[in-house]
Amino acid sequence: ALNRRYEDQLIAGIMYSYTYNEQVYQKRKNQIYFNGNIDISGNTLALLNSITGSPQNASDAKTVLGIAYAQYAKFDIDLRNHLKLSKNTFFASRMILGWGIPYGNSTALPFVRGFFSGGTNSIRAFAVNSIGPGTYRLPDSLQSSYFIQQGGDIKIEWSAEYRFPIVSIFKGAFFIDAGNVWLDKNNDLLPGAQFKLEKAFKELAVGGGFGLRVDLNFFIIRLDLATPIRKPWL
């Protein structure tokens, strides 16, 4: 499955995206942001191949012009809430939910369509894309192999941040992040990686910390210091 995730794949399909944004109204005390996406790929090519026939590659995947095509359905939402507590203090929270279903010609989502967790724009106490899937952890001999990123088909992530002024353009923030990714189907080679609703809450990675912001209006320089609070593999 990891090999199929990285190999050349043709992604041909449709995507629908809907965005609702109240953050453009700066004077509004409570601002909501929502983005939802539906991504479906490979069905038209599968229909054409069922009519015309299609050669297969070494992985028994059907191909178009010698390249295997991806077949999957993927859904994800990004929901944010920005609450103004006073003139210069804010409480910001964010929730990300995603579910990808590989089927037909695919045994795993393509790498560029997979879900990952960990890093500066995710769970900040963990290295980029290092969390999951589930409670699975790479063997110690591969921990230094930075580019072995498992990813997953399902993602749950939540974060909360309290932002406050310090002096002049310098601002601070206390934050906590939680989340993980899982596989939709069981894989015996990745024990603990499959998503099970009754276990999901116990398998979340959690981290917290303090951040310093330099607000220059047209962009913000951000420095976060975080530490793990809960490691899923433990």
Side-chain angles (χ1 to χ4, degrees):
L2 186 61
N3 181 64
R4 290 290 299 274
R5 193 183 288 273
Y6 280 90
E7 71 182 1
D8 290 340
Q9 294 185 65
L10 178 63
I11 301 175
I14 60 174
M15 175 183 288
Y16 175 80
S17 180
Y18 175 82
T19 300
Y20 174 80
N21 185 15
E22 294 181 349
Q23 294 180 340
V24 295
Y25 305 113
Q26 295 295 327
K27 294 182 179 180
R28 181 168 292 183
K29 181 178 180 180
N30 191 37
Q31 302 167 353
I32 301 293
Y33 171 92
F34 172 86
N35 175 254
N37 299 286
I38 301 174
D39 182 5
I40 301 176
S41 178
N43 292 340
T44 302
L45 293 178
L47 177 62
L48 292 175
N49 281 330
S50 67
I51 298 173
T52 63
S54 173
Q56 296 181 334
N57 62 14
S59 301
D60 296 327
K62 297 178 180 179
T63 62
V64 174
L65 300 177
I67 303 176
Y69 61 88
Q71 196 171 4
Y72 64 87
K74 179 184 174 185
F75 314 89
D76 63 89
I77 64 171
D78 181 350
L79 178 63
R80 309 175 193 178
N81 184 57
H82 193 253
L83 178 63
K84 189 174 183 179
L85 301 176
S86 67
K87 182 178 179 180
N88 295 309
T89 60
F90 303 88
F91 179 79
S93 60
R94 182 182 188 186
M95 180 176 65
I96 298 175
L97 301 175
W99 183 24
I101 309 171
Y103 60 88
N105 209 42
S106 296
T107 58
L109 292 178
F111 179 79
V112 295
R113 292 294 193 268
F115 293 109
F116 298 89
S117 191
T120 184
N121 292 313
S122 179
I123 303 177
R124 286 162 277 191
F126 295 81
V128 61
N129 300 348
S130 65
I131 301 173
T135 59
Y136 178 77
R137 180 172 169 82
L138 285 170
D140 292 339
S141 59
L142 295 176
Q143 284 300 314
S144 60
S145 301
Y146 176 78
F147 290 103
I148 298 183
Q149 301 173 351
Q150 296 288 343
D153 307 316
I154 297 172
K155 179 174 182 176
I156 298 176
E157 199 166 285
W158 174 85
S159 66
E161 188 168 298
Y162 173 69
R163 303 169 182 171
F164 55 91
I166 297 178
V167 60
S168 184
I169 61 174
F170 293 95
K171 299 180 180 180
F174 292 106
F175 60 85
I176 186 168
D177 309 315
N180 205 335
V181 296
W182 295 265
L183 299 182
D184 181 56
K185 300 178 181 178
N186 182 53
N187 186 333
D188 292 335
L189 297 178
L190 303 176
Q194 186 182 19
F195 178 80
K196 294 183 179 180
L197 183 60
E198 65 275 12
K199 295 183 179 180
F201 181 77
K202 296 180 180 179
E203 295 177 351
L204 295 178
V206 182
F210 171 78
L212 180 65
R213 313 284 187 260
V214 181
D215 189 351
L216 302 177
N217 289 324
F218 50 93
F219 70 90
I220 296 176
I221 300 173
R222 186 180 66 163
L223 175 65
D224 290 328
L225 179 65
T227 183
I229 297 172
R230 184 185 181 98
K231 300 178 179 179
W233 56 89
L234 299 180

